[in-house]
Amino acid sequence: MGRRRKGEAVSGWINLDKPYDLGSTQAVSRVRRLFNAQKAGHAGTLDPLATGILPIALGEATKTVPFLMNADKAYRFTIAWGRSTTTLDREGAVLAVSDVRPSPEAVAALLPRFVGEISQVPPAYSAIKIDGERAYDLARAGETVELAARIVTVHDARLVEATDPDHVTLEIDCGKGTYVRAIVRDIAEMLGACGHVSDLRRTRVGPFAAESAVTLEYLEDLGHKARQSEALLPVETALDDIPALAVTDEDAFRLKQGRPIVLVPRQVEAVKARLKPGSRTVSAMAGGSVVALCEMRAGRLEPSRVFHLEKSGDQSDVDYGRTQG
């Protein structure tokens, strides 16, 4: 017999508004304890100095994390002029100072150069691995870190406000792998100024947005009332851009056993019309919940990830339809 996991078999997503000065791993641990969940994970690390959206997966939702890692993201951040730092944010050692204060108009005029597919050199203080070591560990040890430029996608960049000559706030919508700190570094260099990130907030990760996020304090309050499940989002929340197909109970049973099912021609055509170019992934649904993630091949659905969600009436069952009001 396999060893029984500790905790409850609770499954779903938490759209957490991560507070300042808390690491992503620490945030996951706190949420996992609040739900007494057997397993937990997150989709996309958020620096301790950043706030905002950190999607946390519990239980079977951890199987959908890879589908959220590639999701588009949105950030709101402030550039503080006058100092360049080693970490490109306010925590780093000062590298250079300057009296140059670019005007909001100059910054806005530069932003179109940062939209589209752009070449970006990641910050030395990043989680990228070099010969098995994290770049930030090497940088902290005093080693010179040289990272190759990579292509990232920025969908939109806009100036939000300039509260005083020393600060300007921007927003971007971008694809995976985009570093806000690198954008700030490059903007400052192009304008002949020194600057760093003084404030950073992630406002969206795929379908997870700031408007519906919950705080740790809110979750703790629900925990005192034994109502944590009210903050849980469905396992399939992370699969919003993957076509869903309703299947019969009989077909759901087959998929859960790891066996393929045959689709009728009209189902094949309906799914093909919604598939992204180059994708074959389909989510099979039964009873309002995801049963399996499948690959569509030659008119069949072949399960690649099977979900074992608790049935209604189980003590660890959750109400997937309810969110924070």
Side-chain angles (χ1 to χ4, degrees), residues 107-316:
V107 176
L110 196 61
L111 292 183
R113 297 176 62 176
F114 290 88
V115 176
E117 289 190 347
I118 63 173
S119 178
Q120 182 183 80
V121 177
Y125 285 81
S126 63
I128 295 173
K129 285 190 175 182
I130 303 174
D131 296 329
E133 299 288 337
R134 297 289 185 186
Y136 55 66
D137 288 331
L138 297 174
R140 287 168 183 159
E143 296 189 31
T144 300
V145 176
E146 294 185 0
L147 296 171
R150 55 180 61 188
I151 300 299
V152 298
T153 301
V154 177
H155 304 296
D156 188 30
R158 52 201 173 271
L159 189 148
V160 178
E161 62 181 1
T163 55
D164 56 62
D166 293 327
H167 299 87
V168 62
T169 298
L170 309 176
E171 290 180 343
I172 65 168
D173 301 315
C174 59
K176 67 173 183 176
T178 305
Y179 283 93
V180 168
R181 288 176 293 147
I183 288 178
V184 170
R185 173 200 63 204
D186 296 343
I187 287 176
E189 288 180 358
M190 290 180 182
L191 294 173
C194 290
H196 63 275
V197 178
S198 63
D199 185 72
L200 174 61
R201 179 168 177 78
R202 189 159 66 190
T203 56
R204 183 175 62 85
V205 178
F208 297 88
E211 294 77 15
S212 58
V214 298
T215 63
L216 284 172
E217 290 76 16
Y218 176 80
L219 291 175
E220 288 167 353
D221 181 61
L222 287 182
H224 294 320
K225 303 171 184 176
R227 292 166 47 194
Q228 300 99 310
S229 64
E230 293 183 20
L232 272 175
L233 298 174
V235 168
E236 57 269 19
T237 302
L239 308 175
D240 70 321
D241 60 346
I242 295 175
L245 179 68
V247 299
T248 65
D249 289 342
E250 181 180 352
D251 281 343
F253 180 76
R254 290 179 62 88
L255 290 172
K256 286 185 176 182
Q257 290 184 319
R259 295 186 292 164
I261 62 173
V262 177
L263 303 181
V264 298
R266 61 179 176 79
Q267 289 177 310
V268 173
E269 293 305 314
V271 171
K272 279 185 176 180
R274 290 181 289 147
L275 283 173
K276 285 187 173 182
S279 175
R280 297 173 179 268
T281 305
V282 179
S283 58
M285 307 286 294
S289 296
V290 62
V291 173
L293 284 170
C294 309
E295 296 295 303
M296 191 171 77
R297 302 180 188 277
R300 304 196 311 172
L301 287 188
E302 300 177 357
S304 55
R305 284 184 175 87
V306 175
F307 297 89
H308 302 283
L309 300 174
E310 298 294 338
K311 295 181 179 180
S312 179
D314 188 278
Q315 64 177 1
S316 58

